[in-house]
Amino acid sequence: MKDLKKLLVVIDPTSDVQPALARAIELASPNGADITVFLSIFDFSYEMTSILSGHEREAMRQGVISQRQAWLEDLLIGYTNEKVQIDSEVIWHNRPFESIIQFAISGSFDIIVKGTHLHDKLKSVIFTPTDWHLMRKAPVPVLLVKDHAWPVAGKILCAINVGSEDDDHQTLNGKIIEYAKVLAAQFDAQVHLVNAYPGTPVNLAIELPDFDAHTYGETIRMQHEQRISYLANSFDISSDFCHVQEGLPEDVIPEIARKIDAELVILGTVGRTGFSAALIGNTAEHVIDSINCDLLAIKPDGYRSPLEKD
């Protein structure tokens, strides 16, 4: 993991409390990284005022931008930090996720930090369409933040895949753990690894009378435990912090996150090319929809956003 030198923070225009900015300042302070707070605004009514000329509509848009810029500057007074340079940018754009990603690409930012909303009745995180688009299409890591502190000696859960031996998965596993180790050192946290393995296929037990389902299941379990132990050892992580459980990843990962009371889950998103480049992967989508803590989504090396220009 390279040092975070430039952080892009997406501002919530509906609130004077910005947990994403507070978290970004925590991340940026140790190495004096720069932060840019970003606000994308759009009001369709300004585009539909046909009695006004294009010049007059542009003047109205600039007036709204100036108002939001002034609000943003007042907001930043409460987040002043002598160790961190904070700049601001307000852009008029009808698709917020596109403006965020394009700005992140053009500015060579290392990470996008955005707040999430908590559903009061369900006590769970609600991910907006913009969140999903960022996780699918942003070429840099995306950190989605809840309104809570990261306590000392907290827990970071890395969702890894040791069931596949191909180089891409192995590289992504290492990348996930490297991010976790850096953050753990900064926040004095524990790094935990979680891996789900598949249960015994029912059709095998039916079609093969002599098939020993128990032995098969134990063999798969031990294989995954050995692989995760090897991976943990290579990154100096205690075997006590390795969690291997039978089941689907979208069930196991949120369950372990709740069990250990994780402050952050880090997972890799699937990189694809061509028509499927914008997809994040079904497993990751189900996991994300079920967790109730901060989330860091990381792309594989070589991922290219569909919004990047050739």
Side-chain angles (χ1 to χ4, degrees):
M1 171 185 172
K2 64 179 180 179
D3 291 336
L4 298 178
K5 295 296 185 183
K6 297 182 67 178
L7 292 81
L8 182 61
V9 178
V10 180
I11 291 296
D12 180 357
T14 67
S15 177
D16 290 329
V17 178
Q18 302 289 333
L21 178 54
R23 184 80 77 244
I25 291 172
E26 287 183 289
L27 292 170
S29 296
N31 57 0
D34 294 331
I35 292 175
T36 296
V37 294
F38 184 88
L39 178 59
S40 180
I41 59 173
F42 184 78
D43 188 331
F44 191 66
S45 62
Y46 286 91
E47 307 299 318
M48 294 297 290
T49 312
S50 58
I51 62 174
L52 299 178
S53 67
H55 177 75
E56 289 171 322
R57 286 198 297 271
E58 177 60 26
M60 293 176 66
R61 286 194 292 266
Q62 289 303 318
V64 176
I65 290 174
S66 296
Q67 291 174 1
R68 300 307 289 174
Q69 186 74 55
W71 170 80
L72 196 52
E73 290 173 0
D74 288 341
L75 175 73
L76 293 179
I77 293 174
Y79 291 91
T80 302
N81 187 297
E82 60 183 17
K83 297 181 180 179
V84 179
Q85 172 68 36
I86 303 179
D87 298 316
S88 61
E89 185 77 25
V90 180
I91 288 180
W92 185 276
H93 200 290
N94 66 340
R95 303 182 79 180
F97 78 90
E98 283 191 7
S99 63
I100 295 165
I101 294 173
Q102 288 168 352
F103 192 80
I105 293 171
S106 63
S108 300
F109 285 89
D110 299 315
I111 192 171
I112 296 171
V113 187
K114 184 183 181 298
T116 57
H117 295 277
L118 190 67
H119 192 291
D120 292 333
K121 293 183 179 179
L122 300 178
K123 299 299 182 184
S124 60
V125 173
I126 303 299
F127 293 101
T128 67
T130 296
D131 298 338
W132 286 108
H133 281 298
L134 291 178
M135 286 186 286
R136 288 183 177 108
K137 301 172 184 176
V140 299
V142 176
L143 176 62
L144 295 174
V145 178
K146 269 180 54 180
D147 187 9
H148 73 120
W150 281 1
V152 175
K155 299 177 180 68
I156 298 173
L157 182 63
C158 298
I160 60 172
N161 178 8
V162 298
S164 175
E165 297 183 350
D166 68 76
D167 292 340
D168 289 343
H169 275 101
Q170 299 305 316
T171 300
L172 186 55
N173 284 339
K175 191 174 182 180
I176 291 169
I177 297 172
E178 286 171 0
Y179 268 89
K181 295 281 286 186
V182 171
L183 293 173
Q186 182 173 338
F187 293 95
D188 192 24
Q190 299 173 352
V191 176
H192 289 243
L193 308 182
V194 60
N195 176 250
Y197 67 92
T200 304
V202 176
N203 62 311
L204 285 180
I206 296 174
E207 296 173 4
L208 302 175
D210 295 331
F211 178 75
D212 188 336
H214 175 74
T215 300
Y216 175 88
E218 284 297 294
T219 300
I220 296 297
R221 179 185 61 79
M222 289 189 292
Q223 183 184 67
H224 280 251
E225 287 181 348
Q226 289 171 355
R227 289 181 179 179
I228 201 172
S229 294
Y230 177 82
L231 184 62
N233 185 61
S234 64
F235 283 93
D236 196 27
I237 297 172
S238 171
S239 59
D240 293 336
F241 298 157
C242 295
H243 309 272
V244 176
Q245 187 168 309
E246 179 182 338
L248 298 173
E250 52 263 42
D251 297 327
V252 171
I253 295 169
E255 179 184 339
I256 297 299
R258 287 190 294 269
K259 182 178 179 180
I260 68 173
D261 193 20
E263 311 304 325
L264 172 67
V265 169
I266 305 179
L267 53 76
T269 58
V270 176
R272 294 190 174 101
T273 58
F275 178 76
S276 300
L279 301 179
I280 194 173
N282 289 335
T283 296
E285 289 194 356
H286 288 301
V287 169
I288 291 165
D289 210 28
S290 302
I291 66 170
N292 196 27
C293 61
D294 285 10
L295 170 76
L296 178 60
I298 297 175
K299 293 291 190 305
D301 289 341
Y303 172 82
R304 184 175 174 82
S305 170
L307 298 181
E308 289 187 65
K309 297 179 182 178
D310 293 327

